[in-house]
Amino acid sequence: MKAIRRFFRSAGPVNAASSLIAILVGLVFGGLILLISNPGQALQGLGIIVAGGFGGGMKGVGQTLYYATPLIMTGLSVGFAFKTGLFNIGASGQLITGGLAAIYVGVNWTWLPDPLHWVVALLAAMVVGGLWGAIPGILKAKLNVNEVIACIMCNYIGMYGVNYLIKNSPSIYDQLRNQTVSVDPAAAIPKWGLDQVFYNLKGNYHDVSSVNGGILLAILLAVLMYVLLNKTVFGYELKACGYNRHASKYAGINESRCILLSMAIAGALSGIGGGLMYLAPATGLHIEVVDVLSAVGFNGIPVALLGLSNPIGIIFSGLFISHITQGGNYLQRLNYMPEIIDIIIGVIIYFSAFSLLVRNVMAAILRRHEASREKAVLKKGGA
């Protein structure tokens, strides 16, 4: 009983358990949907979802890592803002504007030395994403405009603005495919040997995945964000301002500065995600000129929630969401619709909150039990 009480009192294990419970419930719910849709292949379909990227061999695992990279970055963006008391729902706009800046530098700045080309392009994505994130930060800090409303407006302005700029920039626009052109090979994120690991061998041909060093950069940035938030005075100030702006102001913390810098850093993280997403060769992703907000930006919200806004947890939640998304793509082999994965992810996020509620209820029950036990001991001692 003492071990159980210690478990429910400790935040780390309980938070991890709540996410695992949410994942299990989501998978069970997804299995029920498969069972209703096609009972004969439901078990096989659930196995494909659980197998995820492994269903495509080593190339499938590489694809999982490639698509997890921007998810981790947008998850970090949303989670960082959460930690500081802000809701950054503008990751989609920050990602696409940062991605456009990276593509522009990657295509046109060929005068840069080859080893620096991708670095400068990624820095451009970070700066532009940070500036785009700073806009709702300024509105929040100076005019007390709700950051959710400001972020939503910036999402649409960013999307339409990027589409306009692409169509009016012949150097980066592929009219036949209605998308951006591929960046210069020197501007693509280096593979760093990952292409020699994540591939499928077909005869004498290596069917290589799209994975590159971006996943390593995303993990490094997650670790840096963890250190920033938990091991520095600056991170303490940001979190203190998020917990209670008025108390922080009374303690001498500049709340306006914290809000502005928090949103700028969150935007920079999303911008880097856009750079890592689009600084790829012809086989990688490109910005398509469509009037649709980037889904990767919004998927950063469930990644952050499932990771409980912990930068280290976000690494694993981003990998998991990418993993089952790949499994959803393979579901089409059984004539299932891949949108089933979106339903499963939605259920997982719902039960992430529900499992925390269960944790609080269990903790309350244990406290009452302990209090009644102490009362019984005192009563027995008095007698």
Side-chain angles (χ1 to χ4, degrees):
M1 182 60 71
K2 290 182 179 180
I4 296 175
R5 284 198 294 270
R6 284 197 300 269
F7 177 81
F8 279 99
R9 286 173 179 173
S10 56
V14 173
N15 290 341
S18 67
S19 294
L20 290 175
I21 291 171
I23 290 171
L24 290 175
V25 173
L27 291 175
V28 170
F29 193 84
L32 291 175
I33 294 174
L34 295 176
L35 188 63
I36 294 171
S37 302
N38 187 348
Q41 296 180 309
L43 189 60
Q44 185 180 357
L46 185 60
I48 290 175
I49 293 174
V50 173
F54 292 104
M58 290 303 291
K59 179 184 177 181
V61 176
Q63 292 300 105
T64 297
L65 296 176
Y66 176 62
Y67 290 111
T69 301
L71 284 176
I72 292 172
M73 294 309 304
T74 54
L76 284 174
S77 175
V78 175
F80 185 88
F82 276 160
K83 284 290 188 181
T84 60
L86 298 169
F87 187 13
N88 178 30
I89 200 173
S92 182
Q94 296 150 14
L95 177 138
I96 204 70
T97 52
L100 177 63
I103 290 172
Y104 182 85
V105 173
V107 172
N108 294 304
W109 290 18
T110 53
W111 47 268
L112 287 167
D114 286 358
L116 294 179
H117 198 173
W118 71 270
V119 176
V120 175
L122 198 59
L123 289 174
M126 179 185 72
V127 171
V128 172
L131 291 173
W132 203 252
I135 294 174
I138 293 172
L139 294 173
K140 173 74 172 180
K142 300 301 182 182
L143 302 175
N144 200 30
V145 176
N146 188 287
E147 73 273 13
V148 174
I149 297 173
C151 284
I152 291 173
M153 289 165 44
C154 285
N155 278 341
Y156 282 98
I157 294 171
M159 177 192 69
Y160 287 116
V162 165
N163 288 348
Y164 174 82
L165 291 173
I166 291 174
K167 285 188 174 182
N168 288 276
S169 302
S171 63
I172 63 173
Y173 184 42
D174 184 344
Q175 295 187 16
L176 294 177
R177 297 183 178 181
N178 195 37
Q179 64 182 23
T180 54
V181 300
S182 299
V183 299
D184 186 80
I189 303 296
K191 296 286 187 177
W192 290 336
L194 294 177
D195 56 332
Q196 301 301 315
V197 177
F198 299 103
Y199 68 89
N200 289 342
L201 187 61
K202 295 184 177 180
N204 295 323
Y205 170 68
H206 284 197
D207 189 11
V208 182
S209 68
S210 302
V211 68
N212 55 36
I215 183 65
L216 302 179
L217 292 174
I219 292 172
L220 176 62
L221 285 167
V223 173
L224 289 176
M225 288 301 105
Y226 177 84
V227 173
L228 174 66
L229 284 170
N230 297 288
K231 305 298 181 181
T232 66
V233 175
F234 177 60
Y236 173 81
E237 289 180 349
L238 290 178
K239 291 193 294 184
C241 188
Y243 284 127
N244 193 319
R245 290 176 57 186
H246 302 294
S248 300
K249 184 178 180 180
Y250 181 78
I253 298 174
N254 189 330
E255 58 171 332
S256 297
R257 171 178 169 270
C258 287
I259 292 171
L260 175 57
L261 289 177
S262 175
M263 289 301 298
I265 293 172
L269 291 170
S270 289
I272 293 173
L276 295 176
M277 186 174 178
Y278 296 118
L279 288 176
T283 56
L285 296 170
H286 300 74
I287 297 179
E288 297 181 358
V289 184
V290 292
D291 295 340
V292 178
L293 293 172
S294 173
V296 176
F298 285 109
N299 286 341
I301 298 174
V303 168
L305 290 173
L306 193 58
L308 298 166
S309 299
N310 185 307
I312 306 303
I314 285 170
I315 296 174
F316 294 102
S317 62
L319 289 170
F320 172 75
I321 295 296
S322 179
H323 175 78
I324 63 170
T325 300
Q326 282 297 112
N329 294 333
Y330 298 145
L331 262 184
Q332 297 176 76
R333 300 170 183 171
L334 302 180
N335 294 322
Y336 283 111
M337 297 298 290
E339 286 76 13
I340 289 175
I341 290 298
D342 295 329
I343 298 174
I344 293 175
I345 292 173
V347 173
I348 288 172
I349 300 310
Y350 175 82
F351 276 94
S352 293
F354 182 77
S355 57
L356 285 175
L357 176 63
V358 172
R359 175 244 175 163
N360 293 333
V361 170
M362 289 299 297
I365 292 173
L366 287 172
R367 283 196 299 269
R368 285 198 298 269
H369 175 77
E370 187 173 350
S372 61
R373 183 182 177 186
E374 290 176 356
K375 187 182 294 185
V377 170
L378 291 172
K379 186 177 180 180
K380 184 178 180 180

